[in-house]
Amino acid sequence: MHDLSPKILPSLLAADWSRVGDEVKRAEAAGAPWLHLDVMDGAFVDNISFGPQMVQTVRKCTDMYLDVHLMIHRADHYLERFIKAGANNITIHVEANYDTSVAETLKRIRAAGLHAGIALHPSTPFSAALPYVKDIDLLLVMTVVPGFGGQPFMEKETMPKLAEARDYRDAHGLGFHLEVDGGIYTTTAPIAKKHGANLFVCGTSSFGPADMKQAVADLAASVR
Ligand code: DX5
Ligand code: ZN
């Protein structure tokens, strides 16, 4: 079983990449226990961010738990590189293409001793995750369309699904984390918490403000 207490996860996508080492330290000093790293391939999503080398770079800067969100096709093809780079959790999208399969990829992530997550696009129903719920440590309910930071929180499209996932998990004695990602602020985080979330990915709302420590403290207070 996982510790399902609320956690704020700054998303590196919103950091100043010209000072990535300092930014990781800033997140660490702000007291965030996990760091969220958004990998984008320009094919599964209409944006390109960074790859395993950035994960390796961040790994060298911190002992924080690295929550790697693969918004890519063929995550199985690239998997070893993200494992070697030092990820702690690897989340893959059910909607992406694989050389093998989602199930096979999740198995490999766990076999490597990492935590495994499944992510759902706002338009993907919870039922798409059902085949995998026994093989995951984390279910990521995207609250924006994957690909960009700074988008508005999609409440009506995603909160019923989040509550459905929580109810299913609790009714079946499962213990996976429920993570939300995109448009998370002190105003929207409590809504997600009410519907079952315990992991809150915050890009703009955490790295954006000059005083990140205060921003993370405010976000944490909003979901306490
Ligand atoms: C979007 C990413 C999110 C994004 C969050 O595809 O998965 O993690 O960085 O951005 P904000 O918090 O700025 O909405
Ligand atoms: Zn993300």
Side-chain angles (χ1 to χ4, degrees), residues 11 13 36-40 67 69 71 93 140 142 179 181-182 201:
S11 169
L13 195 69
H36 184 82
L37 290 97
D38 289 307
V39 178
M40 301 178 185
D67 173 38
H69 176 193
M71 289 165 272
H93 270 265
L140 168 51
M142 289 300 297
E179 181 171 314
D181 184 6
V201 176

Side-chain angles (χ1 to χ4, degrees), residues 52-53 55-57 59 66 80-87:
Q53 202 167 333
V55 177
Q56 195 170 37
T57 299
R59 182 74 288 159
L66 301 186
E80 280 316 309
R81 301 180 223 182
F82 286 103
I83 293 167
K84 282 206 186 74

Side-chain angles (χ1 to χ4, degrees), residues 11-14 17 36-50 69-72 93 95 119-122 140-152 154 181-183 201 203-204:
S11 169
L12 198 72
L13 195 69
W17 292 7
H36 184 82
L37 290 97
D38 289 307
V39 178
M40 301 178 185
D41 63 359
F44 176 66
V45 290
D46 188 34
N47 194 3
I48 300 174
S49 61
F50 47 72
H69 176 193
L70 296 183
M71 289 165 272
I72 67 173
H93 270 265
E95 307 91 356
L120 299 177
H121 187 283
L140 168 51
V141 174
M142 289 300 297
T143 41
V144 295
V145 171
F148 296 90
Q151 300 177 80
M154 296 171 70
D181 184 6
V201 176
T204 307

Side-chain angles (χ1 to χ4, degrees), residues 35-191:
L35 193 65
H36 184 82
L37 290 97
D38 289 307
V39 178
M40 301 178 185
D41 63 359
F44 176 66
V45 290
D46 188 34
N47 194 3
I48 300 174
S49 61
F50 47 72
Q53 202 167 333
M54 177 63 94
V55 177
Q56 195 170 37
T57 299
V58 170
R59 182 74 288 159
K60 282 193 284 201
C61 304
T62 182
D63 293 333
M64 290 169 86
Y65 184 100
L66 301 186
D67 173 38
V68 174
H69 176 193
L70 296 183
M71 289 165 272
I72 67 173
H73 286 305
R74 301 182 68 215
D76 45 352
H77 174 77
Y78 295 99
L79 193 63
E80 280 316 309
R81 301 180 223 182
F82 286 103
I83 293 167
K84 282 206 186 74
N88 295 102
N89 174 78
I90 295 179
T91 295
I92 61 175
H93 270 265
V94 286
E95 307 91 356
N97 300 329
Y98 295 84
D99 294 349
T100 55
S101 68
V102 170
E104 178 61 24
T105 308
L106 291 171
K107 218 171 5 191
R108 284 177 54 202
I109 295 170
R110 280 189 152 178
L114 279 65
H115 289 141
I118 277 281
L120 299 177
H121 187 283
S123 60
T124 302
F126 169 61
S127 56
L130 277 178
Y132 315 109
V133 287
K134 290 192 173 58
D135 306 312
I136 58 172
D137 302 284
L138 182 152
L139 176 67
L140 168 51
V141 174
M142 289 300 297
T143 41
V144 295
V145 171
F148 296 90
Q151 300 177 80
F153 181 71
M154 296 171 70
E155 180 173 353
K156 64 179 181 353
E157 300 87 336
T158 62
M159 291 300 102
K161 175 183 5 177
L162 178 59
E164 181 188 1
R166 173 205 47 207
D167 295 348
Y168 185 93
R169 176 194 66 187
D170 297 351
H172 292 79
L174 299 167
F176 51 81
H177 292 282
L178 280 170
E179 181 171 314
V180 287
D181 184 6
I184 302 297
Y185 298 84
T186 52
T187 47
T188 52
I191 299 169

